[in-house]
Amino acid sequence: MRAIQYTLVGILLLVTALWSLADSLFPQTFTWFAFLHGGLVQYTGVLVIAAMSAAMVLATRPVWLEKWLGGLDKMYRLHKWLGITALTGAVVHWIGARGVKWLVEWGWMARPERGNRPELSGLEAWLTTQRKLAETIGEWAFYIIAILLVLALIKKFPYHWFAKTHKWLAALFLAFVFHSIVLVKFAYWTEPIGIVVALCLLAGTVSAVLVLLGKVGKQRKVTGKIAALKHYPDAATLEVTIALEPGWQGHAAGQFAFVSFGGKPHPFTIASAWNKDKSHLVFLIKALGDYTGDLPKTLQIGQAAIVEGPYGRFTFESDRTRQIWIGAGIGITPFLARLEALAKERGTASAGQAAGETGIDLFHPVAECPPEMEQKLRALAEEAGVRLHLIISPRDGFLNGERIRSLVPDWKNASLWFCGPAAFGQTLRVDFAAEGASTRNFHQELFAMR
């Protein structure tokens, strides 16, 4: 979480510092018109350019950034906050550009008299002739972008519509590029802020084109077919096994992939360890919305699928061998993959280990656990040498930090790995921090793509 916070703040501070070298919000002869229609419009404009460009780059799912930002799930959280930042800045930018004109028309603000303008030539002169067009394009692009970003933030907005409409932002970004090139103060282009703006627009344009052409993740896509389906109605969960064609380079337990069954790709955590001899991936899909809720009725064995990945850094890498896992509800998925990987490692070891000797405790709080699923989980935990705490809330009550610490006395020596509802994870993070645990040892998968 800190990495994405530092990145967001760093982008804003860098742009602010460079812009301050070239301009100021407070001109020597201060008027509200000059403040609102001049400095504020330009400043918010470059902030929006930086935020939207960074968001477009993240939309291409650049794997090389996962190491620095903590995984694609964290990158999507940053993508979300960059979008919110861009929307906020664009609203202020619009108020400065359009609102001031209305105030002048209504007689509430006086427009200063225009002096003699210097004669322009070359590129600057041509850009001046495009101002009216650029303003119109920018204004209408702002209205549409604002609507799309608000819809993206509404959780009840159907996922398949979100996936379709969100792609339109790439085309609107290109319109925004034209608006920016024409209306950014021409003097900026010879300043450091101009170089940064140009690089942002270039990176954002390349990313937008990749999105529009459907090239995102192309090198990481592998086709396959559904080999098996297992529905657990009581848990509203569907187990999907996909047999992959050659091309998958393997994955670490805890990673996720984007899966398409003929429509828009949707992210799902991989619930199986990689076995190159079988080339099968297993996904546990919880019915959490309209899309996932319809899958048990629409998927069929033999149906084609496209898998893109793997992504994520929730891979249980830690300098502490003692670990506490909390897989709440469908958040058990990455732990199933790790259990399978550990069981395989123990099976190939020269000497076996007794159950529990791995130094790992797995807590699985869940409202409902079908007997078949419970049996499978217990057998897998035993094979992996992991101590399982299955907590069915109607029967056993709710899990909290105090309960975990009472069952794992040496919890201070452990790293904690959480996957499940974000609010529950944050509650546990705060609770353990209050007891002296370092938040750096609390690893949480932020599995929310919007």
Side-chain angles (χ1 to χ4, degrees):
M1 285 293 288
R2 288 184 178 181
I4 62 177
Q5 293 170 347
Y6 291 157
T7 301
L8 178 61
V9 173
I11 290 173
L12 300 180
L13 289 179
L14 175 63
V15 172
T16 299
L18 294 179
W19 181 83
S20 299
L21 295 175
D23 211 333
S24 173
L25 283 172
F26 305 100
Q28 290 182 345
T29 304
F30 181 85
T31 65
W32 281 108
F33 183 92
F35 171 75
L36 295 173
H37 196 59
L40 184 65
V41 167
Q42 291 293 324
Y43 173 57
T44 54
V46 296
L47 281 182
V48 173
I49 289 171
M52 287 195 67
S53 298
M56 282 305 314
V57 171
L58 292 179
T60 64
R61 302 198 271 271
V63 179
W64 60 275
L65 277 176
E66 285 199 292
K67 177 181 179 181
W68 308 105
L69 296 177
L72 187 61
D73 57 320
K74 312 299 189 300
M75 291 160 61
Y76 268 95
R77 181 62 63 90
L78 176 59
H79 175 87
K80 172 183 176 179
W81 281 105
L82 284 167
I84 294 173
T85 301
L87 177 60
T88 304
V91 170
V92 178
H93 183 81
W94 176 83
I95 291 173
R98 174 57 64 181
V100 170
K101 293 182 180 180
W102 289 340
L103 292 176
V104 171
E105 291 174 0
W106 298 338
W108 295 1
M109 181 179 291
R111 179 190 292 272
E113 295 184 5
R114 295 179 178 177
N116 295 327
R117 292 186 176 184
E119 187 174 341
L120 305 178
S121 62
L123 178 60
E124 185 176 5
W126 180 83
L127 290 175
T128 302
T129 66
Q130 304 300 308
R131 291 183 66 87
K132 189 65 177 178
L133 176 62
E135 288 176 352
T136 302
I137 290 176
E139 183 175 359
W140 283 102
F142 161 70
Y143 296 145
I144 301 173
I145 287 174
I147 293 172
L148 293 180
L149 289 179
V150 170
L151 288 176
L153 296 173
I154 299 175
K155 297 292 185 181
K156 291 186 178 180
F157 186 59
Y159 178 83
H160 65 282
W161 282 112
F162 158 77
K164 290 179 180 179
T165 57
H166 209 60
K167 189 175 181 179
W168 299 349
L169 290 172
L172 292 166
F173 177 84
L174 296 180
F176 175 72
V177 169
F178 172 72
H179 170 86
S180 303
I181 291 175
V182 172
L183 296 177
V184 163
K185 191 177 290 188
F186 194 78
Y188 288 178
W189 298 117
T190 58
E191 300 283 346
I193 186 62
I195 297 174
V196 170
V197 167
L199 291 174
C200 287
L201 292 176
L202 177 61
T205 298
V206 172
S207 300
V209 171
L210 290 175
V211 170
L212 291 172
L213 294 179
K215 301 294 184 181
V216 175
K218 183 178 180 180
Q219 302 301 319
R220 304 174 69 82
K221 291 181 180 179
V222 178
T223 58
K225 291 184 178 180
I226 297 177
L229 293 168
K230 176 65 177 178
H231 189 210
Y232 300 94
D234 293 340
T237 300
L238 179 67
E239 181 179 290
V240 182
T241 301
I242 299 177
L244 297 178
E245 295 179 1
W248 188 258
Q249 299 301 310
H251 63 275
Q255 290 189 296
F256 66 93
F258 288 83
V259 184
S260 171
F261 299 108
K264 294 293 181 180
H266 193 292
F268 298 112
T269 300
I270 304 169
S272 58
W274 175 238
N275 185 335
K276 63 180 180 180
D277 296 326
K278 292 184 178 180
S279 298
H280 280 53
L281 297 183
V282 177
F283 298 92
L284 278 182
I285 302 174
K286 180 80 170 181
L288 297 174
D290 60 315
Y291 174 76
T292 51
D294 288 339
L295 291 181
K297 296 177 288 185
T298 59
L299 298 188
Q300 298 178 351
I301 294 177
Q303 183 175 335
I306 299 176
V307 181
E308 176 199 331
Y311 295 104
R313 304 278 295 181
F314 193 81
T315 54
F316 307 96
E317 295 179 5
S318 173
D319 57 358
R320 299 191 176 191
T321 55
R322 189 74 174 93
Q323 294 188 354
I324 298 173
W325 300 348
I326 305 106
I330 197 60
I332 191 63
T333 309
F335 303 107
L336 292 176
R338 185 57 179 159
L339 286 174
E340 188 176 315
L342 286 176
K344 184 178 180 180
E345 291 174 11
R346 281 165 55 94
T348 57
S350 57
Q353 294 176 306
E357 287 189 3
T358 54
I360 299 173
D361 282 80
L362 167 60
F363 291 84
H364 180 39
V366 66
E368 182 79 30
C369 189
E372 186 177 354
M373 188 177 289
E374 178 179 348
Q375 184 180 3
K376 179 180 179 180
L377 178 59
R378 290 191 182 280
L380 196 54
E382 183 176 355
E383 290 178 25
V386 170
R387 193 176 294 109
L388 174 65
H389 306 271
L390 178 61
I391 301 172
I392 301 177
S393 53
R395 181 192 69 195
D396 305 316
F398 294 101
L399 181 68
N400 55 30
E402 182 180 358
R403 188 170 183 178
I404 293 173
R405 291 188 290 272
S406 68
L407 293 171
V408 188
D410 60 339
W411 62 270
K412 289 186 177 181
N413 300 319
S415 61
L416 283 81
W417 299 79
F418 175 89
C419 185
F424 182 28
Q426 181 61 19
T427 298
L428 288 178
R429 178 191 292 270
V430 172
D431 181 81
F432 273 89
E435 295 297 322
S438 171
T439 55
R440 292 186 177 182
N441 289 319
F442 192 101
H443 307 271
Q444 180 177 356
E445 187 177 44
L446 302 176
F447 206 70
M449 296 298 110
R450 57 167 172 159

